[in-house]
Amino acid sequence: MLRRLTAAAAVTALVPLTAVALPGGADARAPHHDRYHASIAITAHGIPHITADDFGSLGFGSGYAATEDAVCTLADTLITARGERSRWFGPDKRYNDQVTLDASNLQVDAFVADLHQRHVVEKLLKDPLRGPGGQARAMVRGYVAGANEWLRTNEVTDPACAGAPYLKPDVTTLDLWYGVYLANLLASAGVFVKEIVDAAPPSADDPGLPELPVKASQVDREALLKALGRDPESPFGSNATAVGGAASTTGKGMLLGNPHFPWRGRYHFTQQHLTIPGKYDVAGASLIGSPVVNIGWNKDVAWSHTVSTAYRFTPYEYRTPGPGTTYLTDAGPQELVHDTVKVRLPHGKTATEDLYRTPEGYVVDSPATLMPWGPASVWAIRDANGEQLRTIDTFLDMGKATDVRDLLRRQDAGAGMPWVNTTAADRHGDVLYADHSVVPNVPDDLVQQCLTPTGIVLQQVAGLPGLDGTFADSTCAWRTDEDAERPGIFGPANLPMEIRRDWVMNANDSYWLPNPEQPLEGYAGIIGCERCVRTMRTRMVSHYVIDRLAAGHQESPRSLRGHEHENRVMAAEVMRAGGALDQVCQATGETEACQVLHDWDGHSNTDSVGTHIFEEFISRLPTPTLGAVDPVWLTQFDPGDPLNTPRDLNVANPQVVQAMSDAIASLRDRGIPFDATWGSLQVAGDRGAPPIPLGGGTGDAAGNANALAARWVRDNRDHYRPITYGSSHIQAISFLPGGRVDARTILTYGQSENPRSPYSADQTRMFSKKKWVRFAWTDAQIAHDLVRRFTISG
């Protein structure tokens, strides 16, 4: 049964919400006899506070409010989850989820059509171990009813989809569940959609790529990581810092969380506050299509998430007797499962695609990840997140937690945290870091026993073990821990966590160093590396707390949230030591730019002058090859001093000097003044946004905790750096005496994606000015900030 589920588990990365009808199946439609009632209070900045008597009605209010704020993205994501992008947008147009998936609509649809044809989600819905519980199902049914109610009773005014024929009040619960399932696969099979759909067996005329011997030293590491959805130049990440009672002025816990996510599309947030009086009360942010709060707080606990380094899948390499669809196992030769699917096109036409599977999962033809389908072997991937539909349960139950230990217990019981770490603080002054996400149970001894020659290279270069498919059903099968909630994944005892009274953090490096006083070691390599170099962003996030404590000051609610907008640039601080950065610039023979760089305040504030020179320089620095000395630094990384090394800029390296020379020349050639303020160059770039000046900058390489990036830019392209990615739902939560909660938030791109809404760019302007929203948490605060209140039924 587990094998069948694994094969039935594929993936693509997205999540869901609004449009046509699907074939029935379990939980397909909200029953007509269900009646929902919710009260929605809209406070300043368009934030909905939803109150109901049960979880179904709570989901009803959530779905209604989310559709109001993001109807076009909900519709787009639902169409994706139904496998109908080609029908509505054309088969050759591309779908880019702004994170890991970039494929044609036809490729996406074929992948999703195969999931539907095999009833993958329907089977999970019927599975008592891997499927959702009653409260999660009620939330989803209500959410769907709320989305339909909004579509029935409101006119779509967002120009992105107004008048679109697919906007119909016929959303089904199955639509939403497929969307949730696809989002779970963001970091696994969703990365390989093109490679899954385009995979075809070698033939005599087209034998495929030959399997040449590959050495780790011959592999372009950055290109490999990019193909695995881990592009070093476009990281998907976040920061989170939790300060405990031993390091806070309140003696209680505080949290600063800042997920770095896309500013448009399926993976952007809306905020909401969900209340069942006397039973459930949680607020924060939810990704599009999520009826529950993903990042947030209640009266006792606050939490945030950062993308984890753990892999969610393992590739299996199967030997083949020659070109074709036969592969070899220890049980004898086997034939690949061959699925043919039809995809709906415009004007009633259809297209046909072929996909192949083993019992472990989809076959891929992926030369870029060293996994081609050639004459001697074929690769398939097994996906741990493809075997569960417990994510809604996990987030829903976390909202009931009473302290950080209870939060982690509830997360472990759900066993559906798909691809993120958790950092949390509680009223009692404890703080938590944990990577208790869904990870394949492949401990290091199994890996060493089962690696193929190419699998060894994958592990050496990217940390991904390529296992021998010959024994995928026996000695190389995923194991099961006694404390795991289901087969094939690590249980809590084999996953890293740390609870402290001072502070913990994560900024997307591995679990190894949530606090330098207590490194976490001895865990499986598939989860992440140990005693390995930290990014400049990790060093900056850590040093904000370290430096304040070293100066003899505890963190206060004001100081902790203030770190968000300090906009220090860690790489610049390190490189300026001993005047090294000035020396490098002077070696170029430039004078005007070097004077600006010398006078620069070392920050990425909107009024900083010189930030762009450093940004251009840092982007051109040479990167070390695998296992080689880093040419940028004289003092290399030392695991005994991980937050202060590497350091000492190598001023004598001509590559470093050339990087500075090229940076200055590039700015001059583009007509960008050396003395321009950063805010005149870096502006908002989300859909319909005016060019609002923004502070912050490049994260990992430059060391901005307030990480921002310009990716797939469409708006304000006449500016140097229009921001479409980075700091998103930022929350600074402090627990105070007397049961009080100080909740400050900012949703950097605004609550509404409709550029015609007053809530589209209001928070962006606040973010530009380093201001915070005082999130209305209590009834009195909601009444004070109330814009309108209404009730809905359906």
Side-chain angles (χ1 to χ4, degrees):
M1 181 61 177
L2 179 57
R3 287 221 169 293
R4 206 168 300 124
L5 264 175
T6 305
V11 302
T12 173
L14 325 167
V15 172
L17 216 0
T18 303
V20 216
L22 275 180
D27 259 3
R29 280 189 183 277
H32 291 294
H33 65 269
D34 279 355
R35 297 294 296 176
Y36 302 108
H37 308 275
S39 170
I40 302 179
I42 304 296
T43 56
H45 311 292
I47 299 170
H49 304 256
I50 300 150
T51 303
D53 292 334
D54 56 72
F55 283 103
S57 292
L58 198 62
F60 181 68
S62 176
Y64 188 97
T67 311
E68 166 73 27
D69 291 327
V71 61
C72 295
T73 296
L74 292 178
D76 183 88
T77 351
L78 178 60
I79 288 169
T80 306
R82 290 177 167 181
E84 295 192 342
R85 297 195 63 83
S86 298
R87 176 190 178 190
W88 296 110
F89 308 129
D92 297 327
K93 295 289 181 65
R94 298 198 70 76
Y95 178 71
N96 184 335
D97 71 0
Q98 316 284 295
V99 181
T100 59
L101 175 60
D102 185 3
S104 73
N105 286 337
L106 181 60
Q107 290 167 328
V108 174
D109 288 343
F111 178 77
V112 177
D114 188 65
L115 299 178
H116 282 289
Q117 183 169 287
R118 295 187 292 112
H119 304 294
V120 171
V121 169
E122 292 90 329
K123 292 175 183 177
L124 287 173
L125 285 167
K126 295 176 181 178
D127 191 311
L129 189 63
R130 297 172 176 84
Q135 291 179 348
R137 291 172 187 266
M139 286 288 285
V140 167
R141 287 195 298 268
Y143 191 92
V144 164
N148 285 331
E149 181 66 17
W150 191 93
L151 287 166
R152 273 192 293 269
T153 57
N154 290 272
E155 177 184 358
V156 176
T157 62
D158 189 332
C161 65
Y166 51 77
L167 292 173
K168 300 177 182 179
D170 54 8
V171 185
T172 73
T173 55
L174 194 58
D175 296 338
L176 189 61
W177 283 119
Y178 264 97
V180 171
Y181 180 80
L182 292 173
N184 286 348
L185 306 173
L186 172 149
S188 45
V191 176
F192 294 96
V193 168
K194 300 187 297 294
E195 293 78 6
I196 289 169
V197 174
D198 292 347
S203 64
D205 296 330
D206 181 16
L209 295 177
E211 281 80 19
L212 298 175
V214 176
K215 295 181 180 179
S217 60
Q218 299 171 323
V219 176
D220 183 334
R221 182 173 185 270
E222 292 195 2
L224 175 59
L225 290 173
K226 181 177 180 179
L228 289 169
R230 297 176 174 226
D231 187 353
E233 297 300 316
S234 300
F236 182 38
S238 307
N239 311 324
T241 303
V243 177
S248 70
T249 58
T250 62
K252 301 181 182 300
M254 303 186 298
L255 177 79
L256 176 61
N258 181 0
H260 302 152
F261 272 55
W263 281 26
R264 59 173 183 250
R266 188 264 160 276
Y267 293 105
H268 83 263
F269 291 101
T270 57
Q271 295 175 315
Q272 62 176 342
H273 182 183
L274 302 174
T275 304
I276 299 175
K279 185 175 182 180
Y280 194 74
D281 195 19
V282 62
S286 307
L287 292 174
I288 299 301
S290 172
V292 293
V293 168
N294 303 126
I295 290 175
W297 70 93
N298 62 25
K299 66 183 181 65
D300 294 315
V301 190
W303 69 93
S304 194
H305 298 297
T306 54
V307 174
S308 158
T309 57
Y311 281 101
R312 314 298 157 186
F313 66 98
T314 61
Y316 280 97
E317 183 179 15
Y318 306 81
R319 290 191 295 274
T320 60
T325 58
T326 302
Y327 64 98
L328 305 177
T329 75
D330 55 355
Q334 305 291 326
E335 284 295 310
L336 295 173
V337 177
H338 178 195
D339 297 324
T340 300
V341 298
K342 288 186 178 181
V343 174
R344 297 181 69 178
L345 303 179
H347 313 300
K349 298 180 179 179
T350 61
T352 300
E353 293 286 349
D354 297 290
L355 295 83
Y356 296 86
R357 292 179 287 115
T358 72
E360 280 61 56
Y362 280 120
V363 167
V364 298
D365 185 4
S366 181
T369 60
L370 312 183
M371 295 186 283
W373 190 348
S377 73
V378 62
W379 293 80
I381 57 174
R382 181 177 176 186
D383 189 333
N385 273 320
E387 301 175 15
Q388 63 97 6
L389 200 59
R390 296 281 299 163
T391 303
I392 299 297
D393 295 80
T394 302
F395 286 115
L396 177 65
D397 211 35
M398 286 171 64
K400 305 173 186 176
T402 57
D403 55 41
V404 296
R405 288 176 174 82
D406 188 38
L407 184 85
L408 188 58
R409 282 193 295 268
R410 292 174 182 275
Q411 182 175 313
D412 289 340
M417 189 57 69
W419 28 260
V420 289
N421 306 287
T422 300
T423 302
D426 67 29
R427 176 171 298 284
H428 310 289
D430 289 327
V431 293
L432 163 75
Y433 162 78
D435 187 352
H436 280 211
S437 52
V438 175
V439 185
N441 192 329
V442 286
D444 292 348
D445 66 309
L446 182 150
V447 169
Q448 293 307 312
Q449 174 184 337
C450 294
L451 288 172
T452 66
T454 302
I456 292 172
V457 177
L458 277 171
Q459 186 194 39
Q460 290 175 338
V461 179
L464 175 65
L467 306 180
D468 190 342
T470 307
F471 306 100
D473 195 31
S474 55
T475 55
C476 296
W478 294 358
R479 296 176 184 169
T480 299
D481 290 339
E482 289 186 5
D483 61 340
E485 289 294 318
R486 60 180 175 274
I489 60 173
F490 281 120
N494 283 320
L495 293 169
M497 61 83 67
E498 185 171 327
I499 294 177
R500 299 179 62 87
R501 293 287 297 176
D502 51 3
W503 63 278
V504 295
M505 61 74 62
N506 184 265
N508 306 118
D509 278 320
S510 69
Y511 58 84
W512 175 53
L513 211 65
N515 185 296
E517 298 300 317
Q518 188 181 345
L520 299 175
E521 296 181 351
Y523 295 92
I526 194 172
I527 307 173
C529 61
E530 297 173 0
R531 303 178 67 79
C532 48
V533 67
R534 308 284 91 177
T535 66
M536 284 292 180
R537 178 162 60 90
T538 288
R539 290 168 65 174
M540 187 74 268
V541 174
S542 298
H543 269 285
Y544 275 135
V545 180
I546 290 170
D547 294 352
R548 181 168 178 84
L549 296 178
H553 305 295
Q554 291 183 309
E555 289 282 9
S556 67
R558 179 187 294 273
S559 70
L560 183 62
R561 67 175 177 266
H563 296 325
E564 173 60 36
H565 292 299
E566 284 189 50
N567 290 331
R568 290 167 59 185
V569 182
M570 177 55 74
E573 294 181 13
V574 176
M575 291 179 176
R576 279 179 149 178
L581 188 63
D582 285 341
Q583 292 178 49
V584 168
C585 199
Q586 290 163 5
T588 67
E590 298 282 354
T591 55
E592 182 185 359
C594 291
Q595 187 62 51
V596 172
L597 191 62
H598 174 79
D599 295 339
W600 173 44
D601 64 7
H603 289 69
S604 55
N605 293 317
T606 55
D607 60 355
S608 295
V609 177
T611 308
H612 58 307
I613 301 175
F614 186 76
E615 285 267 353
E616 292 286 334
F617 167 62
I618 207 79
S619 70
R620 290 171 168 80
L621 286 172
T623 56
T625 57
L626 185 67
V629 169
D630 190 330
V632 173
W633 307 103
L634 295 175
T635 300
Q636 297 295 297
F637 171 70
D638 177 1
D641 190 15
L643 297 179
N644 296 300
T645 57
R647 63 172 182 267
D648 302 321
L649 185 63
N650 189 353
V651 300
N653 186 338
Q655 291 178 297
V656 174
V657 176
Q658 190 64 50
M660 181 67 78
S661 180
D662 291 347
I664 295 170
S666 176
L667 290 170
R668 181 183 291 115
D669 292 346
R670 287 179 284 167
I672 299 170
F674 298 137
D675 62 352
T677 61
W678 186 230
S680 69
L681 302 174
Q682 179 171 268
V683 300
D686 55 313
R687 184 165 62 89
I692 299 168
L694 299 176
T698 298
D700 288 1
N704 282 280
N706 186 10
L708 299 174
R711 302 177 186 171
W712 305 291
V713 174
R714 300 172 190 163
D715 294 76
N716 299 329
R717 299 182 67 166
D718 55 334
H719 284 71
Y720 168 79
R721 187 177 162 98
I723 296 304
T724 59
Y725 175 93
S727 298
S728 56
H729 164 75
I730 309 170
Q731 61 180 40
I733 311 300
S734 299
F735 296 104
L736 304 177
R740 293 175 296 138
V741 179
D742 180 28
R744 311 291 179 99
T745 68
I746 198 77
L747 188 59
T748 55
Y749 38 74
Q751 176 73 5
S752 174
E753 68 175 13
N754 184 349
R756 296 178 176 176
S757 168
Y759 305 128
S760 172
D762 56 331
Q763 293 192 64
T764 313
R765 293 186 176 90
M766 294 180 68
F767 179 58
S768 172
K769 297 175 182 178
K770 302 186 176 183
K771 294 183 177 180
W772 293 88
V773 172
R774 289 178 177 266
F775 195 102
W777 172 245
T778 67
D779 289 344
Q781 291 167 346
I782 292 171
H784 181 270
D785 292 349
L786 188 66
V787 175
R788 63 188 175 110
R789 188 190 300 270
F790 57 96
T791 58
I792 54 173
S793 299

